[in-house]
Amino acid sequence: MSLLRLFTSKAPLLQASFRRSISTAPVLLHGKPGVAKGDGPYTVHFITSDGEQIDVKATKGDTMLDLAQRYDIDLECACEGSLACSTCHVICEPEYYDKMEEPSDEENDMLDLAFGLTETSRLGCQIEMNDDLDGITVRIPSATRNLRVDGSKPTHH
């Protein structure tokens, strides 16, 4: 039996299976499933690039990126938290920065690309909430540096 005939004879079964998997597939949302705005024992203070303070609630293990997405705070995330960019760069208060684990080599490599890097800069996708960070303030820089993965350069008209 030829490959074409094999695939075409199985096509109705594959189509039905595909339709079932699509219709029952769970909806993927940013952040942690089952956690809503206002949930959590911890407080995080975001200072936006415009200087506005936004106070949010957090649960253990939430990252700053999870929180920004949950609360619609303008914090970019070009790589979806995969440690492949620096767009979720935030600046932490020194007292809280000192309570965090040291950044990994991968995070430091990405931070080197960040706009407005400081001594207390971190990637928002790498800061996980815990008891020690309750009350943390993170500042979102006024700009980000987003390198195109495909190597193309933006065109100016």
Side-chain angles (χ1 to χ4, degrees):
M1 179 180 278
S2 73
L3 280 176
L4 180 59
R5 184 176 291 157
L6 176 65
F7 284 120
T8 56
S9 69
K10 302 290 184 196
L13 294 172
L14 293 171
Q15 288 173 341
S17 174
F18 182 72
R19 269 193 231 102
R20 278 194 305 275
S21 67
I22 293 297
S23 64
T24 60
V27 176
L28 298 177
L29 302 173
H30 289 294
K32 291 168 43 178
V35 180
K37 289 181 181 179
D39 284 355
Y42 305 123
T43 301
V44 175
H45 311 285
F46 282 91
I47 307 293
T48 68
S49 58
D50 298 330
E52 177 188 2
Q53 180 170 318
I54 302 171
D55 300 333
V56 302
K57 297 306 259 177
T59 61
K60 186 176 184 108
D62 278 335
T63 66
M64 297 303 110
L65 182 58
D66 292 335
L67 296 171
Q69 291 173 338
R70 185 178 309 141
Y71 289 91
D72 300 317
I73 296 169
D74 193 19
L75 180 63
E76 275 190 69
C77 179
C79 74
E80 299 181 11
S82 65
L83 256 180
C85 75
S86 64
T87 57
C88 68
H89 167 225
V90 295
I91 301 166
C92 305
E93 295 173 311
E95 67 185 83
Y96 287 97
Y97 182 88
D98 293 339
K99 296 177 181 180
M100 297 177 199
E101 289 184 24
E102 290 289 318
S104 67
D105 290 342
E106 293 85 0
E107 182 179 358
N108 278 325
D109 289 346
M110 289 298 112
L111 281 168
D112 287 342
L113 305 173
F115 175 85
L117 189 65
T118 73
E119 290 292 319
T120 61
S121 289
R122 291 295 301 263
L123 296 181
C125 66
Q126 298 301 299
I127 304 171
E128 289 190 6
M129 280 306 297
N130 60 48
D131 294 340
D132 292 338
L133 299 182
D134 187 23
I136 189 174
T137 298
V138 294
R139 182 174 299 278
I140 301 171
S142 60
T144 62
R145 197 173 282 151
N146 186 3
L147 303 175
R148 292 174 179 245
V149 175
D150 63 5
S152 68
K153 297 190 186 320
T155 56
H156 298 287
H157 300 290

